Amino acid sequence: MMSQDLPKLETLKILVVDDHELILSGTIDLLKRQYPQAEILTAKTTQNALEQVESFMPDLVIMDLSLPETFGHTAEINRGIKSLGTLMKNYPTLNLVVQSSYVKALVRIKPDIDAHEGGFTVADKGLSSEEMLKRIDLALKGVTHTKDLKMPPGEVKPEWLEVLNLAFEEELEDKIIADRMNLSLRTVRHYWTKVQDVLGVYPEDGKSLRIQTEKRAREEGFID
């Protein structure tokens, strides 16, 4: 288990995960100025990131969300989200900073974030260097800082997100979604009402409920 206390600067180990060379080098330069004695490693894919954490056991991981699984693959937000969930599950006290332009997508793993015992901060890539360093320091101290997310109220269950993905990413109808998820059609429709309630989408005359749901789901990061 990793300590939540701030590590001594001379022993600080940091892993930076991003597939954009400019962002990667910029983050490393920032870290080297702030923590000159720190040992810094990098990863450009989710597979390599998970391998590095297992072998390197860093005090802090700074990662993007839009990442490829392996070299040569397309970067996907959902890939980064799943890898982040894996890190929180396998390393419950690991300190994490999500540095991404897609931070809203973290709504998909809100329960995991709420339960995580290590530091967890969010830094949009548009933040200043000074503010970025503050988020890093907070994470190293074991602090959770997610207020920038402005997540919709209410729990978001994985099965609701699966319905959204099947409907809007794979363009499946409810009957086929029910078959794919081994559920009754009634249950799938129940999931629709639940996720629509969290999104604040309700029937309105002259408006397609499904189109409104898709629009809000994309705005809130439920789907890409």
Side-chain angles (χ1 to χ4, degrees):
M1 299 283 281
M2 299 181 188
S3 172
Q4 288 190 204
D5 296 328
L6 185 61
K8 293 180 181 179
L9 294 185
E10 63 268 20
T11 62
L12 187 62
K13 294 186 289 185
I14 302 173
L15 173 65
V16 184
V17 188
D18 202 301
D19 67 327
H20 287 89
E21 193 62 49
L22 281 176
I23 299 294
L24 202 60
S25 60
T27 302
I28 292 169
D29 288 345
L30 187 68
L31 291 169
K32 283 182 176 178
R33 290 198 300 271
Q34 186 74 5
Y35 309 104
Q37 303 303 318
E39 185 179 356
I40 302 171
L41 264 69
T42 64
K44 294 184 178 180
T45 69
T46 57
Q47 183 183 72
N48 188 223
L50 295 173
E51 291 170 350
Q52 293 273 46
V53 171
E54 184 178 0
S55 60
F56 186 52
M57 293 299 285
D59 301 294
L60 175 73
V61 174
I62 302 172
M63 69 179 291
D64 190 9
L65 292 179
S66 181
L67 294 164
E69 182 177 12
T70 58
F71 288 106
H73 283 75
T74 302
E76 297 177 8
I77 299 169
N78 213 38
R79 184 69 59 191
I81 289 286
K82 287 181 178 178
S83 298
L84 183 60
T86 298
L87 286 176
M88 288 191 285
K89 179 182 177 182
N90 294 345
Y91 308 94
T93 61
L94 176 61
N95 298 315
L96 295 157
V97 176
V98 175
Q99 179 184 223
S100 180
S101 300
Y102 309 99
V103 293
K104 277 191 172 183
L106 291 170
V107 70
R108 304 175 201 177
I109 51 172
K110 184 171 180 277
D112 295 331
I113 295 170
D114 292 342
H116 189 60
E117 297 173 27
F120 191 103
T121 65
V122 177
D124 188 279
K125 285 187 175 179
L127 286 181
S128 66
S129 296
E130 181 182 4
E131 190 58 37
M132 177 63 184
L133 287 172
K134 287 180 182 178
R135 303 295 169 91
I136 291 171
D137 183 63
L138 287 173
L140 282 168
K141 291 176 178 174
V143 174
T144 298
H145 187 293
T146 59
K147 70 176 184 178
D148 293 354
L149 298 182
K150 297 185 175 72
M151 289 182 174
E155 183 182 3
V156 181
K157 294 188 176 180
E159 54 266 33
W160 304 350
L161 297 177
E162 187 175 355
V163 167
L164 289 174
N165 273 287
L166 291 173
F168 300 127
E169 301 300 328
E170 297 192 32
E171 301 181 345
L172 303 181
E173 296 298 324
D174 286 356
K175 180 65 172 68
I176 300 175
I177 291 173
D179 292 342
R180 179 81 70 87
M181 296 178 68
N182 294 314
L183 300 170
S184 69
L185 185 58
R186 180 177 180 177
T187 299
V188 170
R189 287 173 176 164
H190 175 67
Y191 288 169
W192 277 114
T193 64
K194 288 296 185 181
V195 76
Q196 285 161 350
D197 184 49
V198 171
L199 289 169
V201 178
Y202 304 101
E204 292 183 55
D205 291 341
K207 290 188 177 181
S208 165
L209 188 61
R210 207 172 184 92
I211 290 174
Q212 292 299 110
T213 301
E214 180 180 7
K215 181 183 176 185
R216 288 288 295 137
R218 294 193 190 282
E219 288 173 350
E220 294 296 340
F222 284 35
I223 51 177
D224 297 345

